Amino acid sequence: MSEIVTYVEMTARDQLDPAAPIPDLVLEPLERSSPLVVELQARIGAPYGWESASRTEREWADWFARCPGRVFRLLSFEGVPAGMASYDLHPGGDVEIETFGLLPEFTGKGLGGYALTLAIRQAWELAPAVTRVWLHTSSLDHPNALPNYHRRGFRTFRTEEGERTIG
């Protein structure tokens, strides 16, 4: 299946255009050993053909081993898990939002803008000298993903066209 992968970035904290706060939507630490890490990524990614939706236990172990410094955060709405974000700290002050998403039952409810605002604020706070926050999204992801990233202040710095096998 054809896809376009779009890479977006912020190079200063003040580029964030925050969405209006939503009461009871919070972002909190999630231990990498929590079974929610695997469950949430699989459920978030299933509608979009993410690899996380079909990884075996061995593939998950390899995934965790490749990025021992990855940091996880749980998005909760009214005390119920609603999504997650994960982050990789790269040399030179770069923070990659490696995963960001809402569970299918929470999409389309107006939570995405503020959820992303919380995730971006957290990215800027992960290390003392963050100089750039970036992520990538696919044209096969939720259709509101890229517009939401742009509304929050990210700007596109690269696109790649290719093919992805789903299933």
Side-chain angles (χ1 to χ4, degrees):
M1 179 171 277
S2 294
E3 79 172 326
I4 299 170
V5 177
T6 303
Y7 295 79
V8 297
E9 68 182 351
M10 278 184 195
T11 55
R13 291 174 191 251
D14 64 2
Q15 291 172 346
L16 173 62
D17 186 4
I22 295 176
D24 300 321
L25 182 63
V26 296
L27 185 70
E28 53 202 358
L30 179 62
E31 293 295 323
R32 68 185 290 118
S33 60
S34 170
L36 280 176
V37 171
V38 170
E39 177 190 339
L40 292 172
Q41 289 194 110
R43 289 182 56 211
I44 290 165
Y48 314 110
W50 291 5
E51 288 179 21
S52 61
S54 60
R55 282 188 184 121
T56 65
E57 192 172 317
R58 179 73 225 151
E59 290 168 331
W60 276 111
D62 292 344
W63 184 84
F64 278 107
R66 280 193 305 274
C67 298
R70 186 164 288 152
V71 176
F72 300 92
R73 297 291 183 263
L74 172 67
L75 280 161
S76 296
F77 181 61
E78 297 177 342
V80 177
M84 72 172 296
S86 67
Y87 307 88
D88 288 337
L89 282 70
H90 298 285
D94 274 13
V95 173
E96 176 185 1
I97 300 176
E98 196 275 334
T99 301
F100 170 76
L102 295 172
L103 293 169
E105 61 267 32
F106 289 93
T107 60
K109 299 190 181 303
L111 302 176
Y114 188 57
L116 182 58
T117 297
L118 292 172
I120 294 166
R121 285 180 176 153
Q122 177 65 70
W124 284 107
E125 296 298 322
L126 283 176
V130 176
T131 58
R132 184 175 92 135
V133 174
W134 65 279
L135 58 84
H136 72 274
T137 188
S138 165
S139 56
L140 302 177
D141 288 345
H142 193 284
N144 291 339
L146 186 57
N148 188 21
Y149 300 142
H150 286 152
R151 278 193 303 277
R152 300 289 70 83
F154 281 107
R155 68 177 179 272
T156 298
F157 70 92
R158 184 171 84 218
T159 58
E160 299 172 348
E161 293 186 36
E163 296 290 322
R164 184 187 342 161
T165 304
I166 297 179

